[in-house]
């Protein structure tokens, strides 16, 4: 059983390979393709803006491809386990050696830069993860 993760391009490629009949005319005739993502909620347990945005992007992708993509937010470990068990596709996983032994990763469609931000008055000389030892991140 092949499992894919990581990028929109991979999702589209996987869906086209795994569900070629998904272009049926009526929504009810198309099989549901579960897409597992990390659950993102605010302090009141309402969907966080990131989840709302991602769900909207998946809806656009579904409309463009004709596939019945259905977003299922779960706690991250559960999303990974469901994908590992072949229950759907996993979106948003960074490729690690451990995950590469379980999932087939596609080329990323996009990359996201993340920064470590500190107050200008108390800069941290950050060159490796070891530089963060003993600090609250």
């Amino acid at each position: 059983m092949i499992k894919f993760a990581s990028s929109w391009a991979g999702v589209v490629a996987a869906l086209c390979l795994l569900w070629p009949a998904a272009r049926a005319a009526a929504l009810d005739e198309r099989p549901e393709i579960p897409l597992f993502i990390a659950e993102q909620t605010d302090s009141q347990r309402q969907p966080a803006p990131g989840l709302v945005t991602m769900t909207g992007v998946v809806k656009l992708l579904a409309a463009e491809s004709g596939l019945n993509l259905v977003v299922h937010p779960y706690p991250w470990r559960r999303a990974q386990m469901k994908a590992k068990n072949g229950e759907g596709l996993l979106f948003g996983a960074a490729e690690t050696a451990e995950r590469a032994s379980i999932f087939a990763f596609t080329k990323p469609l996009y990359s996201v830069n993340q920064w470590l931000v500190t107050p200008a008055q108390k800069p941290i000389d950050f060159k490796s993860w070891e530089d963060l030892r003993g600090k609250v991140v």
Side-chain angles (χ1 to χ4, degrees):
M1 191 173 321
I2 299 176
K3 298 168 195 76
F4 293 86
S6 185
S7 72
W8 291 115
V11 170
V12 172
L15 299 175
C16 290
L17 291 171
L18 297 174
W19 286 280
R23 285 196 155 285
L27 180 63
D28 294 339
E29 294 177 18
R30 296 178 297 161
E32 179 180 306
I33 302 167
L35 188 64
F36 304 129
I37 64 172
E39 182 178 64
Q40 301 173 29
T41 57
D42 63 19
S43 59
Q44 284 79 41
R45 302 281 302 146
Q46 296 300 310
L51 178 61
V52 174
T53 300
M54 186 178 298
T55 300
V57 170
V58 171
K59 285 181 181 179
L60 291 172
L61 180 61
E64 180 72 22
S65 67
L67 300 171
N68 187 12
L69 302 174
V70 181
V71 173
H72 295 276
Y74 286 104
W76 188 234
R77 280 190 183 179
R78 189 176 315 157
Q80 291 179 83
M81 289 306 297
K82 290 178 86 57
K84 181 179 177 180
N85 292 337
E87 298 174 41
L89 304 175
L90 182 64
F91 177 79
E95 187 171 358
T96 64
E98 181 181 352
R99 288 185 188 140
S101 70
I102 300 168
F103 302 107
F105 282 80
T106 64
K107 292 180 181 178
L109 178 61
Y110 67 92
S111 61
V112 177
N113 293 318
Q114 295 183 348
W115 293 268
L116 178 63
V117 179
T118 64
Q121 300 82 4
K122 295 182 180 182
I124 294 176
D125 185 25
F126 176 74
K127 292 186 179 73
S128 72
W129 292 115
E130 188 61 30
D131 296 333
L132 298 179
R133 188 169 304 281
K135 296 184 174 46
V136 176
V137 179

